[in-house]
């Protein structure tokens, strides 16, 4: 493989201008370097160099991306959106391998190399979503896609789903999902018994959608933290959305943050719509991992989303009212290293020995890169320049 | 002047594909038209055509736009941000005609033709901000800039400000500003007496920053509505931010909306950070005008903002949890016709007789234009193509 000498970028994590020497897809050296004789030089003067992006929470199987605009047809209530999704996905041919592939290509074009996607598994769709996502991921090839078998319509609320989650686990998904163990399924202990059980038996990760708010959601966060600790699953359990954080007193919030951090549970947020954003800075200060994803991208649940994780980092920073560079960089961390931690990948950043999956954009600082998220990108994947700005 | 035949766009407001004939800077006809013999043809097939954008609330005088990235240096508290602003603006040479002009040029490049800007007026800066903005606006020439003389540090709280507001009124600003009559100045009746008084004497508009939340802010909204009605100032008074709407019960909120609508008070929102967004749909349904602006753009108060009002419309729609096309178009209305109503300009949209200030972007529908806010734009100003995509 080629040797690449990336010259003159402001290297995030190194916190200054530095050269990066890449050999055989791996970062070989970072600092003030002499160009290697055998290296291709990549001039990144005036650019900020970051690890490639991780989309930590999306729903590839549902996307309408890549086609003409589909006006949103659901009402505002959750039940209306669920019914709309069920009825119209057939009419529109969802899941569609073509649409999923189009979205993955778009994500890759922005510099995303890894994605966790929650794929619907229910008696209606069966494992077709899992298969469609896998086929699209294979076709595109440039994004490492991890699937969560996701019980969108509940596990207990939709009989037959438990067996399908087990079947999905057997069919090679990377994680098991859950959803509002109390608010959706009405029996949080049984719900968690089931999803933790399947994840444990198959040695998979777990990622639970938690929209339940206030003290109910907070209590479920405690349940999940306790169980993660009891089963020694630190680093393998995540809670997505966790809107409840937005409803708590500071003291209650901080106590939940402590438990989450201590148990090794990751929090995944999209900073979507006007829903509460988990306290990113407090979580990171406590040592809890935070990752970030779009949630739905152009689907029957909502028409928004570009697939660009650097833009998504802007939303996360903006909704977190982060103004200082160091704070804004927490959002950048969520879309790069936080996502890697979530998925169990190398999270060391731009240091010798780490994989050379990198993105550069024109900016003075990493915070500026987030705020302006320029469309112009240089993308290095496995040590090769795949997109030159 | 040239005659222009804009062909094939989906014309917002006309709600279908239509041709637009423009003569002497004015829309002459809209519909299925034969090209005029003397017309330059502009092919807008596959594009959505909208009125040009109105930036309804910004702070041009404070901007650091156009220079290198300036890391944010203030603390999180309001008092820290005020102190930081006062100290650092001198060091950084703010207000700067060059920076203001750079931002106006950027705004124009996105298709903004009108802007209302709140310019600080206080004993420290005097009327220098007013003069700097005017000089930059004259230099750029393509954005019609309306200034609000803005008492950032209070009217009563900062002695000398009242006289400066009067002086600014005499020096030709278009509107008088106010700020948290209770929360900042501690005497809402006196504050409103002063700012309404100056506006009335000089025949100017009024635009009051209202960050005060909950029942306090709601009560101030009532005070402003009552006074607007009593003084027959319908259409000339606006409240910016109006965060209090986010804290009220539905019933209380709806009653305030009714009063605001009845009095003819406009609400201006930026949908910034995580601050509450006023209930745009409820306000419009009640007949109240809603306009939209960035608030600060790249300044000492915060590093965000691009100057693109179509992107800002996305933020407004997204934070309003608008999913359906008709709802998303309310955000488009806020950045086009709502802003025109605020400033007293022709708000009829793309119809015969209206000024030909137009923007086209590649999209299937107006809602898609908002969601994707493509960088590729065709801009028509006063009937001339100034930017061709």
């Amino acid at each position: 493989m080629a040797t690449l000498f990336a010259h003159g970028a402001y290297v995030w994590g190194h916190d200054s201008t530095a050269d990066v020497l890449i050999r055989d897809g791996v970062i070989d050296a970072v600092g003030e370097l002499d160009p290697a004789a055998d290296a291709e030089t990549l001039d990144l003067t005036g650019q900020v160099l970051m690890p490639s992006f991780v989309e930590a929470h999306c729903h590839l199987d549902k996307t309408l991306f890549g086609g003409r605009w589909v006006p949103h047809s659901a009402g505002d209530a959750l039940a209306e959106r669920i019914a709309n999704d069920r009825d119209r996905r057939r009419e529109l041919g969802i899941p569609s391998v073509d649409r999923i592939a189009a979205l993955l290509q778009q994500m890759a074009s922005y510099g995303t190399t890894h994605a966790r996607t929650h794929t619907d598994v229910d008696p209606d769709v069966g494992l077709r979503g899992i298969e469609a996502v896998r086929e699209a991921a294979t076709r595109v090839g440039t994004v490492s896609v991890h699937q969560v078998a996701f019980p969108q319509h509940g596990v207990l609320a939709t009989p037959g789903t438990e067996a399908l989650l087990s079947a999905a686990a057997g069919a090679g998904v990377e994680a098991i999902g859950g959803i509002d163990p109390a608010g959706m399924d009405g029996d949080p202990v049984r719900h968690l018994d089931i999803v933790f059980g399947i994840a444990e038996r198959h040695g998979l990760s777990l990622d639970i959608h938690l929209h339940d708010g206030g003290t109910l959601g907070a209590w479920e966060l405690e349940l999940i933290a306790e169980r993660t600790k009891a089963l020694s699953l630190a680093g393998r359990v995540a809670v997505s959305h966790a809107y409840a954080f937005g409803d708590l007193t500071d003291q209650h919030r901080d106590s939940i943050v402590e438990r989450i951090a201590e148990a090794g549970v990751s929090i995944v947020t999209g900073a979507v719509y006007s829903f509460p954003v988990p306290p990113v800075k407090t979580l990171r200060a406590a040592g809890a991992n935070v990752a970030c994803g779009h949630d739905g991208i152009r689907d029957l649940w909502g028409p928004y989303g570009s697939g660009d994780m650097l833009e998504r980092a802007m939303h996360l920073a903006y909704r977190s009212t982060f103004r200082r560079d160091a704070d804004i960089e927490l959002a950048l961390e969520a879309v790069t290293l936080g996502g890697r931690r979530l998925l169990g990948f190398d999270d060391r950043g731009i240091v010798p020995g780490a994989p050379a999956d990198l993105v550069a954009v024109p900016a003075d600082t990493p915070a500026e890169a987030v705020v302006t998220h320029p469309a112009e990108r240089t993308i290095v994947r496995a040590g090769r320049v795949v997109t030159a700005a």
Side-chain angles (χ1 to χ4, degrees), chain A:
Chain A
M1 280 180 82
T3 301
L4 188 65
F5 179 73
H7 168 70
Y10 182 107
V11 178
W12 183 54
H14 197 79
D15 292 336
S16 69
T17 301
D19 304 319
V20 180
L21 185 67
I22 296 161
R23 286 190 197 278
D24 302 327
V26 173
I27 294 168
D28 190 69
V30 182
E32 263 192 64
L33 308 173
D34 293 322
D38 59 338
E40 173 195 352
T41 295
L42 179 65
D43 183 6
L44 296 178
T45 307
Q47 312 257 324
V48 168
L49 189 66
M50 305 161 278
S52 65
F53 307 128
V54 181
E55 164 59 71
H57 184 118
C58 62
H59 295 270
L60 293 174
D61 60 319
K62 296 189 209 276
T63 193
L64 297 163
F65 193 87
R68 304 297 294 260
W69 179 254
V70 177
H72 187 71
S73 47
D76 289 330
L78 181 62
E80 292 173 292
R81 292 210 299 284
I82 289 175
N84 178 69
D85 182 28
R86 276 193 173 144
D87 296 344
R88 295 209 65 202
R89 67 185 182 189
R90 264 177 236 146
E91 169 201 339
L92 292 162
I94 302 301
S96 153
V97 175
D98 288 344
R99 287 176 183 266
I100 298 166
L103 178 52
L104 281 170
Q105 256 146 2
Q106 171 92 344
M107 288 160 60
S109 78
Y110 285 123
T112 289
T113 50
H114 306 73
R116 170 177 279 186
T117 186
H118 294 253
T119 308
D120 279 14
V121 165
D122 62 51
D124 179 45
V125 78
L127 301 186
R128 282 194 299 121
I130 303 281
E131 290 149 16
V133 169
R134 187 172 295 148
E135 187 180 336
T138 303
R139 189 193 291 177
V140 173
T142 50
V143 181
S144 158
V145 177
H146 285 216
Q147 292 199 67
V148 182
F150 174 50
Q152 170 79 68
H153 308 299
V155 180
L156 306 171
T158 306
T161 301
E162 180 180 350
L164 283 162
L165 291 177
S166 286
V173 297
E174 285 78 10
I176 297 298
I179 183 167
D180 293 325
M184 165 79 78
D185 258 4
D187 189 340
V189 172
R190 232 179 107 207
H191 181 104
L192 293 178
D193 280 347
I194 292 170
V195 298
F196 270 87
I198 299 171
E200 253 210 314
R201 275 197 299 285
H202 292 268
L204 301 181
S205 294
L206 190 63
D207 192 331
I208 298 171
H209 277 64
L210 191 62
H211 315 88
D212 285 341
T215 50
L216 177 61
W219 175 72
E220 292 175 271
L221 281 165
E222 288 186 76
L223 282 190
I224 293 166
E226 273 169 27
R227 204 175 276 251
T228 302
K229 224 173 134 181
L231 299 174
S232 304
L233 291 175
R236 273 177 46 200
V237 177
V239 174
S240 283
H241 304 323
Y243 295 148
F245 276 122
D247 302 325
L248 308 178
T249 62
D250 289 1
Q251 195 182 5
H252 193 181
R253 183 199 62 203
D254 291 351
S255 115
I256 303 291
V257 164
E258 277 306 322
R259 285 170 191 238
I260 287 289
E262 195 196 347
V265 172
S266 287
I267 298 293
V268 187
T269 179
V272 298
Y273 298 106
S274 264
F275 294 111
V277 179
V280 175
K281 198 170 171 178
T282 312
L283 284 160
R284 291 298 298 132
N289 184 42
V290 176
C292 177
H294 277 78
D295 204 1
I297 299 173
R298 289 275 198 113
D299 62 25
L300 292 170
W301 291 76
Y304 297 91
S306 66
D308 177 8
M309 286 308 301
L310 195 53
E311 181 193 36
R312 190 57 22 204
M314 179 277 291
H315 281 278
L316 178 55
Y318 194 59
R319 286 294 310 287
S320 300
T321 322
F322 288 160
R323 294 183 170 97
R324 282 182 295 263
D325 280 29
D327 292 343
I328 294 169
E329 287 179 43
L330 293 177
L332 183 56
E333 187 197 18
V335 304
T336 53
L337 310 184
R340 282 172 170 76
R341 269 173 228 132
L342 180 78
L343 299 180
F345 285 101
D346 189 313
D347 69 343
R348 288 174 295 162
I350 305 175
V351 296
D357 295 317
L358 305 165
V359 179
V361 300
D364 283 345
T365 69
E368 184 179 10
V370 171
V371 166
T372 62
H373 49 89
E376 191 188 334
R377 312 231 165 149
T378 300
I379 298 170
V380 175
R381 197 160 48 233
R384 289 172 189 276
V385 180
V386 292
T387 309

